[in-house]
DNA sequence: ACTACACCTTGACCAAAATCAATTATCACA
DNA sequence: TGTGATAATTGATTTTGGTCAAGGTGTAGT
């Protein structure tokens, strides 16, 4: 499964990752030398919460689910990430213990890097620390928003809001949206049961006039969904700040 | 309302704040020179979300509620903070715009400092950046946990979990807990209606045998609550990691 | 093309929490 | 010490979402 990885190729890619933006070349060289790039199949568990890990990961393609589970199997999805997202890096603050499990949910290409380097360099490279801080701040903000949505939006509204965040919110006229992953997973991501998701999506359709065809959703304009979902939100539309593009 | 503030006294206090731990003396001197300490009464709004602010705040005593509101008045509590917590500092990443509103919910003593200094110094003082990063990481973890709890715990379980996080979880034998603020506010903090809180607390009492007397809650030991609440949580008890002491 | 399996939907029912409404309790302050 | 105002509780009811069960759909892999 391990891919023959060209270090300089990886180094070029790493430069596109927000937490490595404008980082010192010496750091990038060091860290990319130890990089691995692997292709993982759907279902692959990268690590389990409370594991001690030695490497953190960057998603080059595909989707990864972050979650935690109770003893009796109840699962809470913490986040679902795609390209350019970093995971497990947080472990540097907790003796290399990760606070969530990570599972590949669609075939994915994933780079892994040693945590130790990051841990060491963050002390020397202020730019790295600042980038991480900014990314973390952005992410914390997203979590706040998530909590707000769980508090004041109902199931169909949460779905509408989710859809709006998948696209460029400034486009006028007809829009087509493709769900990025399984409906079951979208449901979990939004903190509801698959059955509830199915029914709530139908309700959203009835209320807003969108057309649903499998994972494809079409509408004449965003207006209807905006009116329906964004009424139960403290932000003004467009709210692109909530994109996962940290 | 402005308090005559002794700069060196404030400087001493600032050293006890986690994000300023081990920070350069030059930074501490600079920032405490511009510090103000004010006493605010319950109900005082420090700032409103999407405001542009010039200062950030540190709570010396009392409680502050962070929240957001929709146009039609629905409110979501983002967090409730006490001593040693910092708020508004996040605005340095967003052109001084704060993402939440802040309201004093019990008479409080609050220090304010110019955001500009923080913004400038964070680039020079790596220790400051690292401290903030660590604090932010911890906080993001707390938010994840919050989302998890909203997903898999019901109302009485959330209350039990909330109670456990108020105290030293390692103590054996009888325990007395005082709710730190109004039940209405606890309810909002846990994302439920006051009526639901009232009923859920009664249910928790019936299920675990705790005794409730106004804001005072007594029990023979923590065991019962742990069994009742922590079953619906992915962490093992004790879970002190979730304390707000960032 | 067939099969196995996972995904999705639908219906019936149930449980949890929100809402609406009416008291009662508590507390700051005159 | 009374008196409003706010907080808290309780009851009745509705709404929302979860659970259980069955059936349909789609698709990867042989």
């Amino acid at each position: 499964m391990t891919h023959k990885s060209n270090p300089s190729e990886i180094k070029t890619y790493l430069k596109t990752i927000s937490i490595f933006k404008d980082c010192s070349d010496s750091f990038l060289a060091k860290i990319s030398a130890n990089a691995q790039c692997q292709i993982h199949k759907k279902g692959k568990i990268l690590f389990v919460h409370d594991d001690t890990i030695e490497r953190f990961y960057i998603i080059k393609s595909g989707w990864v689910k972050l979650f935690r589970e109770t003893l009796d199997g109840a699962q809470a999805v913490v986040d679902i990430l795609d390209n350019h997202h970093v995971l497990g890096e947080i472990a540097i603050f907790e003796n290399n213990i990760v606070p969530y499990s990570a599972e590949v949910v669609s075939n994915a290409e994933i780079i892994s890097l040693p945590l130790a380097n990051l841990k060491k360099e963050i002390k020397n490279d202020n730019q790295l620390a600042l980038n991480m801080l900014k990314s973390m701040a952005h992410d914390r903000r997203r979590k706040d928003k998530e909590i707000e949505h769980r508090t004041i939006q109902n199931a169909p509204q949460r779905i509408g809001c989710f859809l709006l965040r998948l696209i460029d919110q400034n486009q006028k006229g007809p829009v087509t949206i493709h769900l990025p992953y399984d409906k079951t997973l979208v449901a979990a991501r939004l903190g509801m049961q698959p059955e509830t998701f199915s029914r709530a999506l139908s309700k959203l359709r009835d209320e807003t006039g969108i057309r649903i065809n499998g994972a494809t959703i079409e509408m004449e304009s965003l207006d209807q969904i905006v009116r329906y979902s964004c009424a139960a939100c403290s932000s003004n539309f467009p709210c692109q700040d909530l994109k996962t593009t940290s």
Side-chain angles (χ1 to χ4, degrees), chain A residues 46-47 51-57 88-89 91 96-98 115:
Chain A
L46 296 176
F47 48 75
D51 270 3
T52 299
I53 61 175
E54 297 303 331
R55 301 187 141 246
F56 68 104
Y57 300 83
E89 87 289 3
N96 289 20
I97 294 173
V98 265
L115 269 179

Side-chain angles (χ1 to χ4, degrees), chain A residues 39-215:
Chain A
I39 305 217
H40 292 293
K41 283 201 287 196
K42 178 173 177 173
K44 166 77 182 180
I45 304 282
L46 296 176
F47 48 75
V48 173
H49 63 84
D50 305 336
D51 270 3
T52 299
I53 61 175
E54 297 303 331
R55 301 187 141 246
F56 68 104
Y57 300 83
I58 297 166
I59 305 171
K60 214 173 158 190
S61 71
W63 291 89
V64 174
K65 171 175 79 170
L66 308 186
F67 65 103
R68 287 181 63 99
E69 270 174 333
T70 64
L71 278 178
D72 45 294
Q75 182 178 99
V77 170
V78 169
D79 218 335
I80 296 179
L81 305 175
D82 66 347
N83 318 354
H84 300 291
H85 281 95
V86 179
L87 52 143
E89 87 289 3
I90 196 79
I92 60 171
F93 301 110
E94 303 290 340
N95 288 314
N96 289 20
I97 294 173
V98 265
Y100 43 69
S101 308
E103 177 187 340
V104 173
V105 289
S106 71
N107 294 352
E109 200 173 354
I110 292 177
I111 296 170
S112 74
L113 304 168
L115 269 179
N117 292 355
L118 188 70
K119 202 172 191 169
K120 197 169 57 192
E121 293 303 320
I122 202 174
K123 294 205 178 76
N124 307 325
D125 196 323
N126 192 237
Q127 186 63 48
L128 174 62
L130 287 178
N131 290 344
M132 284 188 72
L133 185 50
K134 186 159 187 177
S135 154
M136 199 82 75
H138 182 268
D139 213 46
R140 198 184 66 170
R141 173 88 187 77
R142 270 182 56 236
K143 306 281 175 181
D144 281 347
K145 211 77 216 239
E146 188 66 33
I147 292 171
E148 175 191 318
H149 288 341
R150 300 271 178 119
T151 309
I152 59 192
Q153 290 184 324
N154 62 24
Q157 286 170 332
R158 283 217 295 289
I159 297 176
C161 176
F162 177 80
L163 294 177
L164 291 175
R165 280 179 279 153
L166 291 173
I167 53 162
D168 167 17
Q169 297 184 344
N170 292 308
Q171 61 192 292
K172 303 293 174 201
V175 178
T176 300
I177 302 175
H178 291 274
L179 294 179
Y181 34 80
D182 281 356
K183 288 182 178 178
T184 312
L185 196 52
V186 178
R189 160 73 182 73
L190 297 175
M192 62 185 83
Q193 299 303 314
E195 297 95 325
T196 300
F197 177 84
S198 185
R199 284 186 258 260
L201 184 57
S202 300
K203 175 145 195 217
L204 183 67
R205 161 170 49 66
D206 297 346
E207 299 280 343
T208 64
I210 60 177
R211 288 184 301 281
I212 301 166
N213 194 319

